[in-house]
Amino acid sequence: MPVSMDALADDLAAESAELRAVLAALTEDQWRAETPAEGWTIADQVSHLAYFDDVALRSATDPDAFAAEKAAMDAEGGVSPDTFVERFRSLSGAEMLAWFDEARARLITAFRELDPKTRVPWFGPAMSAASSLTARIMETWAHAQDVYDTVDVTHAPSDRIRHVAHIGVGARPFSYAAHGLEMPDVPIRVELTAPDGSTWTWGPEDAPDRISGPAEDFALLITQRRHRDDLALTVEGPAATEWARIGQAFAGEAGTGRKPR
């Protein structure tokens, strides 16, 4: 089926609204609370989302400006999320929420008008506009999970998790590259139980290496929000075992993962 930018934008808007409802109720002290991501507060999680919303918008609507920005970052040693969040720590919670609202609204509005096949530059390989918007859904879901964990809010899973799982499966080669490893030429079957009880699958049906279990658990694994030991996933075969250890759906340097709870 053809990709619908409106459908992707609607899913991003829904994921954003759930996060925003939690953020709007926070006290200023809660905005400064440490999240499970070491060294990052809730405010840092939100500034990261807002900042890269603005960058993603530039990459799609003003690629020359994005190229200049990326060149400046490269000259300073490359993209460093920790450095970026430090820039915005003087903002209050209300200012951070307003920035998130504005950046997200601009992004969604602009991407609705794009052809899903339009190529947009990024810090790694260029990607389609549809993939760029899917990445924003994944990033929002993952960073929101850190917020929910910090304030002890239960986030009910939805079928939007499929975007997280899909981009995680597609990022398998990148996961190896980020760790300086060569990916084995071994296919992996991924079979996940969706929140509605249906089954989502990727990879050859007869592949001996397999990962199966709840879709939410796979999303938590591939975004490195939970340690494998804390998830109800079945991992079979050496290639699947290795990928479960290093897999990451997000760009940038190799993630450090989380310790078992």
Side-chain angles (χ1 to χ4, degrees), residues 178-190:
H179 285 80
L181 300 172
E182 183 176 349
M183 189 179 82
D185 186 20
V186 177
I188 296 177
R189 175 74 167 182
V190 178

Side-chain angles (χ1 to χ4, degrees), residues 16-31:
S16 305
E18 291 186 359
L19 172 59
R20 193 196 187 284
V22 173
L23 296 175
L26 298 181
T27 66
E28 192 62 36
D29 284 345
Q30 286 176 311
W31 276 95

Side-chain angles (χ1 to χ4, degrees), residues 19 23-24 43 57 66 108 112 122 139 171 180 236 260:
L19 172 59
L23 296 175
L57 179 60
F66 171 82
I108 289 174
R112 284 188 188 276
W122 198 238
E139 283 276 319
E236 305 171 66

Side-chain angles (χ1 to χ4, degrees), residues 58-76:
R58 277 193 293 279
S59 77
T61 62
D62 192 349
D64 290 340
F66 171 82
E69 184 175 12
K70 180 178 181 299
M73 293 180 189
D74 290 342
E76 295 178 1

Side-chain angles (χ1 to χ4, degrees), residues 136-187:
R136 299 315 299 152
I137 297 172
M138 178 275 296
E139 283 276 319
T140 302
W141 187 88
H143 289 281
Q145 186 63 54
D146 286 338
V147 175
Y148 302 144
D149 287 343
T150 302
V151 296
D152 197 24
V153 168
T154 299
H155 182 221
S158 74
D159 283 353
R160 295 188 296 274
I161 291 175
R162 183 166 190 161
H163 298 302
V164 183
H166 183 73
I167 206 167
V169 171
R172 184 185 168 210
F174 172 78
S175 300
Y176 278 82
H179 285 80
L181 300 172
E182 183 176 349
M183 189 179 82
D185 186 20
V186 177

Side-chain angles (χ1 to χ4, degrees), residues 46-67:
V46 177
S47 70
H48 176 84
L49 289 174
Y51 177 80
F52 280 101
D53 276 0
D54 285 340
V55 174
L57 179 60
R58 277 193 293 279
S59 77
T61 62
D62 192 349
D64 290 340
F66 171 82

